[in-house]
């Protein structure tokens, strides 16, 4: 028989017997992401026969009521809805609910008993993936409950724990959180999730760089002028005002997702595609990142908040009028930052990161702008020749474009920028899995490559602290921008000072 690997067909990876136990099971994330992802994994036959899901939360509910709510969530949020009724019946038969309050003395026993019963019933060999999707203020109670239920170690089977963001709100709280979990679990058991790492296009950054010979030789300070990473959203804060007031754009997007993207672009080739090797290289990037001095923050970082305006043709109100937001709020909904990585590959190449809500479109991209030719032979009338760009479009419209100059047809030499495009959608004719599908499956398989390691998280906080500290000072202005614009004029000035421009993706 032909070897499927040689024939270019990768066998899909199916998880072994296990259970997934979700704490915070009546929350938004469970409904929007986790259940649809698990349902999709079952649809693709990527879950084992010996498998069940236990949802646990404070809300009083029985299994039937929980199944009904989750059915509604899957109908609304899964790409393909419920689909085949027998698939749903299969899923529902494996779905259970336990009302639990970690602060009640009986919680430990209740949890232990339920898991023992279900483990026996479903033959999961006591393998467990615990998922903490709970607010930061309940974290300690849940960790203590898991510890006293003996769910941090197992004499047979594995136990892993996924921790949802926010992972702290400053360096001190992130360190305290790491200490708290590491007191109970070992680092190898801890999976700190950053859903950006599960996106297909984000994983493709490593493939583009390390599976092709033509890009890497140009991937350095000799050829690259600068790199821009944009994560723009057209939505506002929706119903998350309470959380967002504590977070702001910088903590919500830059400290985690965008620094992850930056390290994937900037890292050295790892010695192997293995969790520790990849995560070592990413951590080294943060170690080489130039620390920012608090007094330099106004030069290197900028914050702004949206005022009323219009997005996608609809009038929308300003941030301060959103529900659960203070009318005098100083929280930023847009942030931009310039960073340097002081190593041989990147010395003096700026990395510009920006992220904001209520911008004109939802788009995340990484744009590499190359240096101009050393001497230009062509006289261009009036207009400057555009630089070359390599653009990795993370979402939507996933793909990669290379922009370069070409001769415009005619008797004269006139140069226009053209684009060579790769599009995921049309090239593979296959749906890309949702980030949470990939990440949940990886955790069941014990692969932590796409999860954040404790030292990475602490280093990322260390870098952003001077900015957060500086922004406590009311003398550092909070700019404003109308909803539906590409940020405040100050953001353009921020780039113009360096003789550069933001792209308008
Ligand atoms: C989350 C942030 O981590 O990422 C949200 O808390 C943001 O504010 C979201 O909207 C963006 O994720 P995605 O996958 O839609 O780009």
């Amino acid at each position: 028989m032909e070897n499927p690997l040689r024939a270019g067909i990768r066998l899909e990876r199916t998880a072994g017997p296990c259970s997934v136990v979700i704490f915070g099971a009546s929350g938004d994330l469970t409904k929007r992401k986790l259940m649809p992802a698990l349902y999709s994994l079952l649809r693709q036959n990527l879950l084992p026969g010996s498998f069940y899901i236990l949802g646990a939360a404070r809300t009083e509910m029985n299994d039937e009521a929980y199944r009904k709510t989750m059915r509604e969530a899957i109908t609304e949020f899964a790409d393909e809805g419920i689909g085949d009724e027998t698939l749903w019946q299969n899923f529902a038969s494996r779905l259970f609910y336990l009302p639990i309050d970690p602060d009640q003395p009986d919680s430990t026993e209740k949890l232990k008993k339920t898991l023992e019963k279900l483990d026996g019933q479903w033959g999961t060999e006591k393998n467990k993936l615990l998922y903490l999707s709970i607010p930061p203020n309940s974290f300690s109670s849940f960790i203590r409950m898991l510890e006293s239920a003996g769910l941090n170690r197992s004499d047979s089977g594995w136990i892993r724990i996924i921790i949802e963001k926010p992972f702290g709100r400053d360096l001190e709280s992130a360190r305290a959180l790491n200490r708290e979990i590491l007191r109970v679990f070992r680092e190898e058991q801890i999976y700190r999730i950053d859903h950006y790492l599960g996106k297909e296009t984000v994983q493709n950054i490593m493939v583009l760089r390390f599976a092709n010979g033509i890009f890497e030789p140009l991937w350095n300070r000799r050829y690259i002028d600068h790199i821009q990473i944009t994560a723009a959203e057209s939505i506002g804060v929706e119903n998350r005002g309470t959380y967002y007031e504590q977070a702001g754009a910088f903590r919500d997007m830059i400290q985690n997702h965008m620094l992850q993207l930056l390290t994937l672009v900037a890292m050295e080739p790892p010695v192997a595609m293995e969790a520790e090797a990849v995560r070592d290289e990413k951590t080294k990037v943060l170690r080489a990142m130039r620390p920012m001095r608090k007094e330099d923050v106004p030069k290197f970082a900028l914050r702004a908040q949206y005022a009323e305006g219009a997005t996608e043709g609809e009038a929308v109100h300003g941030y301060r009028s959103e529900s659960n937001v203070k009318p005098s709020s100083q929280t930023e909904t847009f942030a931009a930052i310039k960073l340097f990585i002081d190593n041989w590959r990147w010395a003096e190449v700026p990395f510009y990161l920006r992220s904001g809500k209520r911008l004109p479109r939802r788009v995340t991209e990484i744009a590499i702008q190359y240096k101009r030719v050393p001497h230009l032979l062509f006289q261009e009338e009036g207009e400057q020749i555009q630089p070359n760009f390599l653009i990795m479009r993370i979402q939507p419209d996933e793909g990669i474009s290379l922009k370069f100059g070409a001769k415009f047809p005619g008797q004269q030499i006139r140069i226009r920028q053209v684009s060579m495009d790769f599009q995921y959608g049309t090239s593979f004719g296959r749906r890309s899995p949702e980030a949470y599908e990939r990440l949940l499956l990886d955790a069941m398989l014990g692969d932590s490559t796409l999860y954040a390691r404790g030292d990475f998280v602490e280093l990322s906080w260390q870098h952003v602290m001077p900015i957060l500290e500086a922004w406590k000072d009311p003398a550092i202005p909070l700019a404003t921008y109308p909803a539906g614009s590409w940020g405040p004029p100050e953001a353009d000035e921020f780039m113009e000072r360096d003789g550069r421009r933001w792209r308008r993706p």
Side-chain angles (χ1 to χ4, degrees), residues 186-201:
R186 296 187 314 276
E187 178 66 35
E188 312 84 81
Q189 293 178 285
I190 305 169
Y191 288 63
R192 297 171 194 81
I193 204 161
D194 185 309
H195 79 280
Y196 266 57
L197 293 177
K199 291 181 191 275
E200 201 77 348
T201 39

Side-chain angles (χ1 to χ4, degrees), residues 54 57 74 128 130 160 180 207 210 240 293 318 333 341 370 383 389 435-436 438 443 449:
L54 176 67
I74 293 169
K128 283 181 192 65
L130 312 173
R160 300 181 189 127
E180 189 163 11
V207 175
F210 305 135
R240 298 164 72 220
R293 290 182 315 189
T333 59
I341 297 161
Y370 287 91
E383 68 190 286
F389 278 104
Y436 277 93
R438 164 76 195 222
T449 313

Side-chain angles (χ1 to χ4, degrees), residues 443-470:
M444 289 179 222
L445 290 163
D447 181 352
S448 56
T449 313
L450 302 178
Y451 283 86
R453 206 167 60 188
D455 54 347
F456 184 100
V457 175
E458 289 189 15
L459 270 168
S460 65
W461 278 114
Q462 200 169 310
H463 280 291
V464 306
M465 280 320 288
I467 300 165
L468 297 175
E469 286 296 327

Side-chain angles (χ1 to χ4, degrees), residues 192-483:
R192 297 171 194 81
I193 204 161
D194 185 309
H195 79 280
Y196 266 57
L197 293 177
K199 291 181 191 275
E200 201 77 348
T201 39
V202 172
Q203 294 165 54
N204 194 46
I205 299 171
M206 280 195 277
V207 175
L208 177 83
R209 294 190 56 196
F210 305 135
N212 294 292
I214 59 171
F215 300 111
E216 207 49 27
L218 306 180
W219 210 272
N220 58 55
R221 66 187 306 277
R222 234 166 296 145
Y223 302 101
I224 293 178
D225 177 74
H226 75 276
I227 296 181
Q228 295 186 13
I229 308 183
T230 301
E233 295 183 278
S234 54
I235 54 169
V237 288
E238 303 191 292
N239 52 1
R240 298 164 72 220
T242 311
Y243 154 75
Y244 204 83
E245 278 285 271
Q246 297 298 313
F250 207 79
R251 286 187 175 91
D252 189 46
M253 292 293 292
I254 296 191
Q255 177 272 329
N256 40 50
H257 307 321
M258 297 194 75
L259 285 183
Q260 288 286 355
L261 296 181
L262 180 148
T263 54
L264 286 170
V265 171
M267 71 195 259
E268 295 302 316
V271 291
M273 267 312 284
E274 284 165 5
E276 290 321 309
V278 171
R279 302 193 302 177
D280 282 348
E281 294 307 332
K282 288 170 59 189
T283 303
K284 280 190 213 163
V285 174
L286 293 187
R287 287 176 54 200
M289 194 175 274
R290 190 181 301 170
M292 201 175 293
R293 290 182 315 189
K294 203 172 147 192
E295 57 272 27
D296 289 336
V297 168
K299 269 197 295 191
F300 288 93
L302 177 119
R303 59 176 174 160
Q305 191 185 68
Y306 64 82
E308 61 183 8
T311 45
E312 291 165 351
E314 257 183 56
V316 291
H317 42 238
Y319 177 70
R320 290 180 183 178
S321 317
E322 301 278 12
S323 60
N324 298 319
V325 169
K326 282 200 295 293
S328 59
S329 171
Q330 290 293 306
T331 303
E332 80 287 353
T333 59
F334 175 99
I337 176 175
K338 173 163 82 166
L339 296 165
F340 287 98
I341 297 161
D342 290 333
N343 63 14
W344 277 47
R345 189 191 283 263
W346 297 115
E348 301 311 325
V349 176
F351 285 72
Y352 298 97
L353 275 47
R354 68 176 160 167
S355 181
K357 296 220 182 261
R358 286 282 186 234
L359 300 185
R361 315 178 34 205
R362 173 175 185 248
V363 59
T364 303
E365 64 158 45
I366 301 168
I368 300 186
Q369 181 173 327
Y370 287 91
K371 290 187 174 166
R372 294 175 187 277
V373 291
H375 169 66
L376 189 62
L377 294 171
F378 309 101
Q379 291 286 321
E380 270 293 275
E381 283 162 17
E383 68 190 286
Q384 280 253 324
I385 295 185
Q386 296 288 314
N388 299 139
F389 278 104
L390 179 73
I391 296 154
M392 290 168 263
R393 291 191 307 275
I394 305 296
Q395 63 187 20
D397 184 25
E398 291 84 356
I400 296 173
S401 303
L402 184 64
K403 295 193 182 288
F404 56 95
K407 184 181 171 306
F408 187 76
Q411 302 305 330
Q412 291 163 301
I413 297 220
R414 284 158 69 200
I415 299 168
R416 292 289 174 275
Q417 197 177 51
V418 293
S419 183
M420 234 154 58
D421 277 317
F422 150 67
Q423 289 193 318
Y424 261 88
T426 49
S427 299
F428 296 124
R430 201 185 158 165
R431 132 183 207 279
S432 294
E434 280 286 317
Y436 277 93
E437 289 175 34
R438 164 76 195 222
L439 294 171
L440 281 164
L441 188 60
D442 276 2
M444 289 179 222
L445 290 163
D447 181 352
S448 56
T449 313
L450 302 178
Y451 283 86
R453 206 167 60 188
D455 54 347
F456 184 100
V457 175
E458 289 189 15
L459 270 168
S460 65
W461 278 114
Q462 200 169 310
H463 280 291
V464 306
M465 280 320 288
I467 300 165
L468 297 175
E469 286 296 327
W471 284 353
K472 284 185 190 158
D473 179 354
I476 297 187
L478 170 73
T480 53
Y481 59 101

